[in-house]
Amino acid sequence: MWVRLLCVMVGFLCGYLLIHWMPPLTPFDFTLFITELIFNPLRTFLALTCFFIGFLANAVVIRTVIEGIVLCLLGKRVRWMEWFVCCGGIATFYWLFQWERKLAVLFFIFSFIYGMISMDLDRSRQYHRNL
């Protein structure tokens, strides 16, 4: 459970830093956007690193929520506290959507797709709980 809680916190922090460090997208001007990315290489690198780490952390959270739902429907054992922590982690996307919709949608889509790809419903494997 503590690993999932850490994933929730890391995912939210990385999403916030991504939104904070990327150039504004509201009045989108492609030349201004590319110029900001090129002339601020440290901010660009840090934002892209936060994007990568954050979507991996959020993918673990999304995978846990969906696995919990499917296992509950199949009548198998579910770790409820871990599942509730991850449901709260999904709710953190609300705040990211409030700050910057386009980046938050991109962040959520990457996390959701990778979380679905990495889902494993066979509990007999030993490496299942590893990140």
Side-chain angles (χ1 to χ4, degrees), residues 4 59-87 90 115-116 119-123 128-129:
R4 300 299 189 259
V60 170
V61 171
I62 291 171
R63 180 182 70 201
T64 304
V65 169
I66 293 176
E67 281 179 352
I69 292 170
V70 170
L71 291 174
C72 184
L73 292 175
L74 293 175
K76 295 184 180 178
R77 184 176 165 268
V78 178
R79 298 179 184 195
W80 290 104
M81 285 302 290
E82 185 176 280
W83 190 77
F84 285 128
V85 165
C86 290
C87 284
I90 298 281
M116 293 300 290
M119 198 165 70
D120 181 21
L121 297 175
D122 188 13
R123 294 269 178 160
H128 175 71
R129 289 291 166 196

Side-chain angles (χ1 to χ4, degrees), residues 88-107:
I90 298 281
T92 61
F93 277 105
Y94 171 76
W95 295 106
L96 297 177
F97 286 133
Q98 294 299 316
W99 289 319
E100 182 66 47
R101 289 188 191 275
K102 292 177 185 175
L103 285 176
V105 166
L106 183 71
F107 196 55

Side-chain angles (χ1 to χ4, degrees), residues 6-128:
L6 180 67
C7 285
V8 168
M9 291 188 302
V10 166
F12 179 71
L13 180 67
C14 285
Y16 172 74
L17 291 176
L18 167 72
I19 289 171
H20 181 70
W21 283 333
M22 288 296 282
L25 296 176
T26 306
F28 188 72
D29 182 17
F30 184 72
T31 56
L32 178 65
F33 181 75
I34 295 297
T35 305
E36 286 288 325
L37 290 179
I38 291 172
F39 287 134
N40 294 322
L42 181 62
R43 281 179 63 179
T44 302
F45 176 74
L46 291 175
L48 294 177
T49 302
C50 283
F51 178 79
F52 182 71
I53 293 170
F55 97 79
L56 289 177
N58 283 324
V60 170
V61 171
I62 291 171
R63 180 182 70 201
T64 304
V65 169
I66 293 176
E67 281 179 352
I69 292 170
V70 170
L71 291 174
C72 184
L73 292 175
L74 293 175
K76 295 184 180 178
R77 184 176 165 268
V78 178
R79 298 179 184 195
W80 290 104
M81 285 302 290
E82 185 176 280
W83 190 77
F84 285 128
V85 165
C86 290
C87 284
I90 298 281
T92 61
F93 277 105
Y94 171 76
W95 295 106
L96 297 177
F97 286 133
Q98 294 299 316
W99 289 319
E100 182 66 47
R101 289 188 191 275
K102 292 177 185 175
L103 285 176
V105 166
L106 183 71
F107 196 55
F108 179 75
I109 288 172
F110 270 85
S111 300
F112 184 77
I113 290 173
Y114 189 74
M116 293 300 290
I117 289 171
S118 66
M119 198 165 70
D120 181 21
L121 297 175
D122 188 13
R123 294 269 178 160
S124 65
R125 296 190 180 115
Q126 294 296 322
Y127 63 87
H128 175 71

